[in-house]
Amino acid sequence: MAVAFLLSIGSYADYSRMRVVLNDGSEVFYDTRDVNFVDFDIVAEELEPEPQAIKMYVRGDNVDVDGPCAYEWKENMGPGNGVLCYPKELTSNPNERHPVVIFCPGGGETPGSQPVLIKRLASMGFIVYSQPSTWEGADAKKAFDWIEQMNNDPAARFYNKLNMERVGVCGHSQGGVMAEGCANIDSRVATLMLMNSGDFSHAGATKLTIPTGFITGHTDMAYDNAVGDYGNRDNKAPMWLGIKGNEGHGYGPWGGVPTVVAWMRWHLCGEEFRRADFLTNGGAYCNANGWETQFKNW
């Protein structure tokens, strides 16, 4: 119930000062001859409500299996005629947003030919787009632009339901070079994961400032690319390098899927408990379970 107080100073002309005690205990004095009246008539309904923090829509917690969300799989979508995969039931909470990830498949692969990562993320609440890989990061940026248009369109399914301020991009082989290029030119990208990939000159990651991961194996034909990219002394970004035993070039988008999912949930969904999986010896992906791990700049 709102209560209103009105104090008429004129009725108390014998008092020369009015004392106001603030919340911190300090006092303020006013000369009553300069004050006509004091009005406390402020109803609760007129006060601005406290803004609520935006939360990420993410479901399930075991990255080794698909999550609980049924998902849609749409082909020939977007600027790359790619695959768009997303939960059938989107959030109805105005203070909740779906995380967004673009996956760039390996060279010669179709948008849907490496589906495990795409489906795993969508089953946990992510909006995921996959398109044929090129060598140009600008092509992945166009896909982010297209998704953001749907987030801003009142007539679109995704209207105001996506977190486009912090998105993730990942890629396999040639697609990793594309993803790295996108991260270098798109300020929305908050994290990057390269699977069996890396820049041929080892300079692609030197401009990055976002958390960046590399997955490779000792028999991976892109081993030197990944290790060289990670090892460039000019790198400034927080980086993680995971070498999975003698795994080969195809490991990333198949066996490496749980690692990528955990990485994206950590950096896009605020699951800070996953930090130890990557950066603490004995964690799931840190010098344990067949991983040889290095990290720097954290």
Side-chain angles (χ1 to χ4, degrees):
M1 180 177 65
V3 180
F5 297 92
L6 180 62
L7 174 63
S8 175
I9 301 300
S11 301
Y12 299 89
D14 291 340
Y15 296 94
S16 61
R17 293 195 305 170
M18 179 175 66
R19 184 179 66 154
V20 178
V21 180
L22 304 180
N23 287 335
D24 62 2
S26 60
E27 299 178 345
V28 180
F29 293 89
Y30 296 94
D31 190 324
T32 58
R33 291 169 295 183
D34 297 328
V35 178
N36 185 23
F37 67 88
V38 178
D39 189 356
F40 297 95
D41 188 12
I42 302 175
V43 297
E45 290 78 10
E46 294 175 352
L47 299 176
E48 287 291 329
E50 289 290 331
Q52 295 189 29
I54 297 297
K55 299 185 296 184
M56 290 299 100
Y57 183 100
V58 61
R59 299 294 185 266
D61 55 12
N62 184 358
V63 297
D64 294 321
V65 297
D66 283 356
C69 303
Y71 52 81
E72 298 279 0
W73 176 279
K74 301 287 187 180
E75 299 185 357
N76 300 314
M77 301 291 288
N81 291 320
V83 167
L84 181 65
C85 196
Y86 54 90
K88 287 184 177 181
E89 297 292 333
L90 300 175
T91 181
S92 58
N93 184 341
N95 297 306
E96 199 169 43
R97 299 289 183 272
H98 291 269
V100 176
V101 170
I102 285 181
F103 169 60
C104 306
E109 299 285 347
T110 64
S113 61
Q114 296 174 324
V116 180
L117 176 62
I118 301 168
K119 294 178 178 180
R120 181 73 50 81
L121 287 170
S123 74
M124 293 181 171
F126 286 71
I127 310 301
V128 190
Y129 183 72
S130 172
Q131 67 184 78
S133 291
T134 70
W135 296 107
E136 300 299 326
D139 292 328
K141 184 178 184 301
K142 290 176 185 176
F144 278 127
D145 293 339
W146 172 65
I147 295 172
E148 185 159 27
Q149 287 175 2
M150 290 189 284
N151 188 54
N152 295 335
D153 181 359
R157 176 190 292 267
F158 297 144
Y159 176 59
N160 208 29
K161 294 183 182 295
L162 312 182
N163 181 10
M164 294 305 302
E165 296 181 0
R166 292 180 56 82
V167 298
V169 62
C170 55
H172 173 244
S173 191
Q174 179 184 351
V177 177
M178 181 184 185
E180 190 175 65
C182 177
N184 271 321
I185 62 173
D186 194 331
S187 61
R188 292 169 295 194
V189 177
T191 193
L192 166 68
M193 176 62 83
L194 288 81
M195 294 167 271
N196 311 105
S197 183
D199 185 34
F200 290 103
S201 70
H202 307 319
T206 58
K207 297 178 183 178
L208 295 170
T209 58
I210 59 175
T212 299
F214 299 86
I215 292 176
T216 188
H218 286 295
T219 62
D220 177 13
M221 68 180 189
Y223 174 87
D224 290 339
N225 301 73
V227 173
D229 231 20
Y230 170 86
N232 192 314
R233 65 183 182 182
D234 293 328
N235 289 336
K236 303 176 182 63
M239 290 187 173
W240 172 90
L241 170 66
I243 303 170
K244 183 67 169 181
N246 289 319
E247 294 290 352
H249 193 61
Y251 178 76
W254 298 98
V257 164
T259 313
V260 181
V261 173
W263 182 270
M264 291 297 168
R265 289 182 63 137
W266 174 19
H267 294 292
L268 298 183
C269 302
E271 294 185 340
E272 281 298 316
F273 67 89
R274 299 190 188 276
R275 178 185 183 93
D277 289 342
F278 291 90
L279 304 183
T280 299
N281 283 331
Y285 318 111
C286 190
N287 296 315
N289 302 316
W291 290 97
E292 301 170 37
T293 309
Q294 300 176 44
F295 49 88
K296 61 183 180 182
N297 301 332
W298 294 91

PDB file of all heavy atoms in Angstrom, residues 212-235:
ATOM      1  N   THR A 212      40.246 -18.642 -27.866  1.00  0.00           N
ATOM      2  CA  THR A 212      40.401 -19.408 -29.104  1.00  0.00           C
ATOM      3  C   THR A 212      40.943 -20.791 -28.782  1.00  0.00           C
ATOM      4  O   THR A 212      41.917 -20.929 -28.037  1.00  0.00           O
ATOM      5  CB  THR A 212      41.363 -18.687 -30.062  1.00  0.00           C
ATOM      6  OG1 THR A 212      40.829 -17.398 -30.390  1.00  0.00           O
ATOM      7  CG2 THR A 212      41.568 -19.480 -31.344  1.00  0.00           C
ATOM      8  N   GLY A 213      40.300 -21.816 -29.336  1.00  0.00           N
ATOM      9  CA  GLY A 213      40.733 -23.184 -29.106  1.00  0.00           C
ATOM     10  C   GLY A 213      41.152 -23.874 -30.388  1.00  0.00           C
ATOM     11  O   GLY A 213      40.690 -23.530 -31.484  1.00  0.00           O
ATOM     12  N   PHE A 214      42.053 -24.851 -30.265  1.00  0.00           N
ATOM     13  CA  PHE A 214      42.513 -25.668 -31.381  1.00  0.00           C
ATOM     14  C   PHE A 214      42.417 -27.136 -30.982  1.00  0.00           C
ATOM     15  O   PHE A 214      42.891 -27.522 -29.915  1.00  0.00           O
ATOM     16  CB  PHE A 214      43.974 -25.361 -31.728  1.00  0.00           C
ATOM     17  CG  PHE A 214      44.249 -23.952 -32.159  1.00  0.00           C
ATOM     18  CD1 PHE A 214      44.507 -22.960 -31.216  1.00  0.00           C
ATOM     19  CD2 PHE A 214      44.275 -23.618 -33.510  1.00  0.00           C
ATOM     20  CE1 PHE A 214      44.777 -21.662 -31.609  1.00  0.00           C
ATOM     21  CE2 PHE A 214      44.548 -22.318 -33.903  1.00  0.00           C
ATOM     22  CZ  PHE A 214      44.801 -21.335 -32.963  1.00  0.00           C
ATOM     23  N   ILE A 215      41.811 -27.954 -31.855  1.00  0.00           N
ATOM     24  CA  ILE A 215      41.787 -29.401 -31.671  1.00  0.00           C
ATOM     25  C   ILE A 215      42.570 -30.040 -32.804  1.00  0.00           C
ATOM     26  O   ILE A 215      42.342 -29.734 -33.983  1.00  0.00           O
ATOM     27  CB  ILE A 215      40.337 -29.935 -31.675  1.00  0.00           C
ATOM     28  CG1 ILE A 215      39.574 -29.458 -30.439  1.00  0.00           C
ATOM     29  CG2 ILE A 215      40.333 -31.457 -31.743  1.00  0.00           C
ATOM     30  CD1 ILE A 215      38.110 -29.875 -30.444  1.00  0.00           C
ATOM     31  N   THR A 216      43.494 -30.936 -32.468  1.00  0.00           N
ATOM     32  CA  THR A 216      44.254 -31.654 -33.478  1.00  0.00           C
ATOM     33  C   THR A 216      44.664 -33.010 -32.914  1.00  0.00           C
ATOM     34  O   THR A 216      44.295 -33.358 -31.783  1.00  0.00           O
ATOM     35  CB  THR A 216      45.483 -30.838 -33.930  1.00  0.00           C
ATOM     36  OG1 THR A 216      46.101 -31.481 -35.045  1.00  0.00           O
ATOM     37  CG2 THR A 216      46.495 -30.671 -32.806  1.00  0.00           C
ATOM     38  N   GLY A 217      45.391 -33.771 -33.714  1.00  0.00           N
ATOM     39  CA  GLY A 217      45.919 -35.062 -33.285  1.00  0.00           C
ATOM     40  C   GLY A 217      47.255 -35.299 -33.966  1.00  0.00           C
ATOM     41  O   GLY A 217      47.576 -34.661 -34.974  1.00  0.00           O
ATOM     42  N   HIS A 218      48.031 -36.220 -33.455  1.00  0.00           N
ATOM     43  CA  HIS A 218      49.386 -36.408 -33.988  1.00  0.00           C
ATOM     44  C   HIS A 218      49.391 -36.914 -35.423  1.00  0.00           C
ATOM     45  O   HIS A 218      50.373 -36.706 -36.147  1.00  0.00           O
ATOM     46  CB  HIS A 218      50.164 -37.365 -33.085  1.00  0.00           C
ATOM     47  CG  HIS A 218      50.597 -36.740 -31.792  1.00  0.00           C
ATOM     48  ND1 HIS A 218      51.508 -35.705 -31.723  1.00  0.00           N
ATOM     49  CD2 HIS A 218      50.230 -36.992 -30.506  1.00  0.00           C
ATOM     50  CE1 HIS A 218      51.698 -35.357 -30.458  1.00  0.00           C
ATOM     51  NE2 HIS A 218      50.932 -36.119 -29.700  1.00  0.00           N
ATOM     52  N   THR A 219      48.342 -37.592 -35.868  1.00  0.00           N
ATOM     53  CA  THR A 219      48.291 -38.058 -37.256  1.00  0.00           C
ATOM     54  C   THR A 219      47.423 -37.159 -38.130  1.00  0.00           C
ATOM     55  O   THR A 219      47.107 -37.518 -39.264  1.00  0.00           O
ATOM     56  CB  THR A 219      47.773 -39.504 -37.324  1.00  0.00           C
ATOM     57  OG1 THR A 219      46.440 -39.559 -36.805  1.00  0.00           O
ATOM     58  CG2 THR A 219      48.675 -40.435 -36.527  1.00  0.00           C
ATOM     59  N   ASP A 220      47.043 -36.016 -37.618  1.00  0.00           N
ATOM     60  CA  ASP A 220      46.232 -35.042 -38.356  1.00  0.00           C
ATOM     61  C   ASP A 220      47.107 -34.335 -39.388  1.00  0.00           C
ATOM     62  O   ASP A 220      48.167 -33.797 -39.056  1.00  0.00           O
ATOM     63  CB  ASP A 220      45.658 -34.024 -37.356  1.00  0.00           C
ATOM     64  CG  ASP A 220      44.849 -32.927 -38.010  1.00  0.00           C
ATOM     65  OD1 ASP A 220      44.507 -33.055 -39.204  1.00  0.00           O
ATOM     66  OD2 ASP A 220      44.569 -31.932 -37.309  1.00  0.00           O
ATOM     67  N   MET A 221      46.657 -34.296 -40.645  1.00  0.00           N
ATOM     68  CA  MET A 221      47.456 -33.624 -41.668  1.00  0.00           C
ATOM     69  C   MET A 221      47.528 -32.119 -41.433  1.00  0.00           C
ATOM     70  O   MET A 221      48.371 -31.428 -42.014  1.00  0.00           O
ATOM     71  CB  MET A 221      46.879 -33.911 -43.062  1.00  0.00           C
ATOM     72  CG  MET A 221      45.534 -33.290 -43.351  1.00  0.00           C
ATOM     73  SD  MET A 221      45.003 -33.720 -45.031  1.00  0.00           S
ATOM     74  CE  MET A 221      43.552 -32.667 -45.215  1.00  0.00           C
ATOM     75  N   ALA A 222      46.650 -31.594 -40.569  1.00  0.00           N
ATOM     76  CA  ALA A 222      46.683 -30.168 -40.226  1.00  0.00           C
ATOM     77  C   ALA A 222      47.363 -29.933 -38.873  1.00  0.00           C
ATOM     78  O   ALA A 222      47.259 -28.838 -38.324  1.00  0.00           O
ATOM     79  CB  ALA A 222      45.265 -29.599 -40.201  1.00  0.00           C
ATOM     80  N   TYR A 223      48.065 -30.943 -38.362  1.00  0.00           N
ATOM     81  CA  TYR A 223      48.731 -30.810 -37.063  1.00  0.00           C
ATOM     82  C   TYR A 223      49.658 -29.596 -37.034  1.00  0.00           C
ATOM     83  O   TYR A 223      49.623 -28.793 -36.090  1.00  0.00           O
ATOM     84  CB  TYR A 223      49.509 -32.087 -36.763  1.00  0.00           C
ATOM     85  CG  TYR A 223      50.363 -32.020 -35.516  1.00  0.00           C
ATOM     86  CD1 TYR A 223      49.833 -32.337 -34.265  1.00  0.00           C
ATOM     87  CD2 TYR A 223      51.709 -31.650 -35.583  1.00  0.00           C
ATOM     88  CE1 TYR A 223      50.615 -32.294 -33.123  1.00  0.00           C
ATOM     89  CE2 TYR A 223      52.500 -31.606 -34.440  1.00  0.00           C
ATOM     90  CZ  TYR A 223      51.950 -31.913 -33.214  1.00  0.00           C
ATOM     91  OH  TYR A 223      52.726 -31.859 -32.086  1.00  0.00           O
ATOM     92  N   ASP A 224      50.519 -29.461 -38.059  1.00  0.00           N
ATOM     93  CA  ASP A 224      51.452 -28.338 -38.083  1.00  0.00           C
ATOM     94  C   ASP A 224      50.728 -27.002 -38.166  1.00  0.00           C
ATOM     95  O   ASP A 224      51.190 -26.003 -37.607  1.00  0.00           O
ATOM     96  CB  ASP A 224      52.419 -28.477 -39.258  1.00  0.00           C
ATOM     97  CG  ASP A 224      53.409 -29.620 -39.069  1.00  0.00           C
ATOM     98  OD1 ASP A 224      53.618 -30.029 -37.909  1.00  0.00           O
ATOM     99  OD2 ASP A 224      53.960 -30.112 -40.082  1.00  0.00           O
ATOM    100  N   ASN A 225      49.611 -26.971 -38.871  1.00  0.00           N
ATOM    101  CA  ASN A 225      48.830 -25.731 -38.957  1.00  0.00           C
ATOM    102  C   ASN A 225      48.321 -25.321 -37.584  1.00  0.00           C
ATOM    103  O   ASN A 225      48.446 -24.157 -37.179  1.00  0.00           O
ATOM    104  CB  ASN A 225      47.646 -25.909 -39.905  1.00  0.00           C
ATOM    105  CG  ASN A 225      48.054 -26.286 -41.302  1.00  0.00           C
ATOM    106  OD1 ASN A 225      48.468 -27.417 -41.525  1.00  0.00           O
ATOM    107  ND2 ASN A 225      47.932 -25.376 -42.245  1.00  0.00           N
ATOM    108  N   ALA A 226      47.726 -26.276 -36.864  1.00  0.00           N
ATOM    109  CA  ALA A 226      47.147 -25.966 -35.560  1.00  0.00           C
ATOM    110  C   ALA A 226      48.218 -25.589 -34.553  1.00  0.00           C
ATOM    111  O   ALA A 226      48.110 -24.567 -33.856  1.00  0.00           O
ATOM    112  CB  ALA A 226      46.333 -27.156 -35.064  1.00  0.00           C
ATOM    113  N   VAL A 227      49.273 -26.427 -34.465  1.00  0.00           N
ATOM    114  CA  VAL A 227      50.318 -26.177 -33.477  1.00  0.00           C
ATOM    115  C   VAL A 227      51.068 -24.896 -33.807  1.00  0.00           C
ATOM    116  O   VAL A 227      51.413 -24.109 -32.910  1.00  0.00           O
ATOM    117  CB  VAL A 227      51.279 -27.383 -33.400  1.00  0.00           C
ATOM    118  CG1 VAL A 227      52.471 -27.073 -32.501  1.00  0.00           C
ATOM    119  CG2 VAL A 227      50.538 -28.612 -32.896  1.00  0.00           C
ATOM    120  N   GLY A 228      51.312 -24.648 -35.091  1.00  0.00           N
ATOM    121  CA  GLY A 228      52.000 -23.417 -35.491  1.00  0.00           C
ATOM    122  C   GLY A 228      51.173 -22.175 -35.236  1.00  0.00           C
ATOM    123  O   GLY A 228      51.694 -21.142 -34.805  1.00  0.00           O
ATOM    124  N   ASP A 229      49.872 -22.276 -35.499  1.00  0.00           N
ATOM    125  CA  ASP A 229      48.973 -21.149 -35.232  1.00  0.00           C
ATOM    126  C   ASP A 229      48.951 -20.824 -33.740  1.00  0.00           C
ATOM    127  O   ASP A 229      49.054 -19.672 -33.330  1.00  0.00           O
ATOM    128  CB  ASP A 229      47.563 -21.493 -35.718  1.00  0.00           C
ATOM    129  CG  ASP A 229      46.956 -20.413 -36.611  1.00  0.00           C
ATOM    130  OD1 ASP A 229      47.717 -19.604 -37.159  1.00  0.00           O
ATOM    131  OD2 ASP A 229      45.722 -20.407 -36.758  1.00  0.00           O
ATOM    132  N   TYR A 230      48.805 -21.860 -32.940  1.00  0.00           N
ATOM    133  CA  TYR A 230      48.791 -21.671 -31.489  1.00  0.00           C
ATOM    134  C   TYR A 230      50.124 -21.122 -30.991  1.00  0.00           C
ATOM    135  O   TYR A 230      50.173 -20.259 -30.098  1.00  0.00           O
ATOM    136  CB  TYR A 230      48.489 -22.998 -30.790  1.00  0.00           C
ATOM    137  CG  TYR A 230      48.698 -22.959 -29.295  1.00  0.00           C
ATOM    138  CD1 TYR A 230      47.693 -22.526 -28.441  1.00  0.00           C
ATOM    139  CD2 TYR A 230      49.923 -23.339 -28.725  1.00  0.00           C
ATOM    140  CE1 TYR A 230      47.886 -22.479 -27.070  1.00  0.00           C
ATOM    141  CE2 TYR A 230      50.129 -23.290 -27.355  1.00  0.00           C
ATOM    142  CZ  TYR A 230      49.112 -22.849 -26.532  1.00  0.00           C
ATOM    143  OH  TYR A 230      49.318 -22.790 -25.175  1.00  0.00           O
ATOM    144  N   GLY A 231      51.216 -21.600 -31.554  1.00  0.00           N
ATOM    145  CA  GLY A 231      52.529 -21.272 -31.026  1.00  0.00           C
ATOM    146  C   GLY A 231      53.103 -19.937 -31.450  1.00  0.00           C
ATOM    147  O   GLY A 231      54.184 -19.564 -30.968  1.00  0.00           O
ATOM    148  N   ASN A 232      52.414 -19.211 -32.318  1.00  0.00           N
ATOM    149  CA  ASN A 232      52.948 -17.910 -32.749  1.00  0.00           C
ATOM    150  C   ASN A 232      53.148 -17.001 -31.538  1.00  0.00           C
ATOM    151  O   ASN A 232      52.214 -16.765 -30.773  1.00  0.00           O
ATOM    152  CB  ASN A 232      51.997 -17.260 -33.759  1.00  0.00           C
ATOM    153  CG  ASN A 232      52.618 -16.071 -34.470  1.00  0.00           C
ATOM    154  OD1 ASN A 232      53.243 -15.209 -33.856  1.00  0.00           O
ATOM    155  ND2 ASN A 232      52.427 -16.009 -35.772  1.00  0.00           N
ATOM    156  N   ARG A 233      54.361 -16.498 -31.364  1.00  0.00           N
ATOM    157  CA  ARG A 233      54.671 -15.698 -30.178  1.00  0.00           C
ATOM    158  C   ARG A 233      53.962 -14.352 -30.169  1.00  0.00           C
ATOM    159  O   ARG A 233      53.932 -13.666 -29.137  1.00  0.00           O
ATOM    160  CB  ARG A 233      56.174 -15.480 -30.076  1.00  0.00           C
ATOM    161  CG  ARG A 233      56.774 -14.654 -31.216  1.00  0.00           C
ATOM    162  CD  ARG A 233      58.272 -14.548 -31.057  1.00  0.00           C
ATOM    163  NE  ARG A 233      58.861 -13.724 -32.116  1.00  0.00           N
ATOM    164  CZ  ARG A 233      60.176 -13.496 -32.224  1.00  0.00           C
ATOM    165  NH1 ARG A 233      61.007 -14.037 -31.347  1.00  0.00           N
ATOM    166  NH2 ARG A 233      60.616 -12.742 -33.205  1.00  0.00           N
ATOM    167  N   ASP A 234      53.389 -13.964 -31.309  1.00  0.00           N
ATOM    168  CA  ASP A 234      52.668 -12.684 -31.372  1.00  0.00           C
ATOM    169  C   ASP A 234      51.200 -12.813 -30.963  1.00  0.00           C
ATOM    170  O   ASP A 234      50.463 -11.824 -30.956  1.00  0.00           O
ATOM    171  CB  ASP A 234      52.754 -12.090 -32.788  1.00  0.00           C
ATOM    172  CG  ASP A 234      54.164 -11.665 -33.147  1.00  0.00           C
ATOM    173  OD1 ASP A 234      54.905 -11.243 -32.233  1.00  0.00           O
ATOM    174  OD2 ASP A 234      54.526 -11.758 -34.332  1.00  0.00           O
ATOM    175  N   ASN A 235      50.752 -14.005 -30.626  1.00  0.00           N
ATOM    176  CA  ASN A 235      49.361 -14.185 -30.205  1.00  0.00           C
ATOM    177  C   ASN A 235      49.100 -13.458 -28.886  1.00  0.00           C
ATOM    178  O   ASN A 235      49.921 -13.503 -27.974  1.00  0.00           O
ATOM    179  CB  ASN A 235      49.046 -15.669 -30.010  1.00  0.00           C
ATOM    180  CG  ASN A 235      48.972 -16.417 -31.327  1.00  0.00           C
ATOM    181  OD1 ASN A 235      48.716 -15.833 -32.370  1.00  0.00           O
ATOM    182  ND2 ASN A 235      49.205 -17.726 -31.283  1.00  0.00           N
TER     183      ASN A 235
END
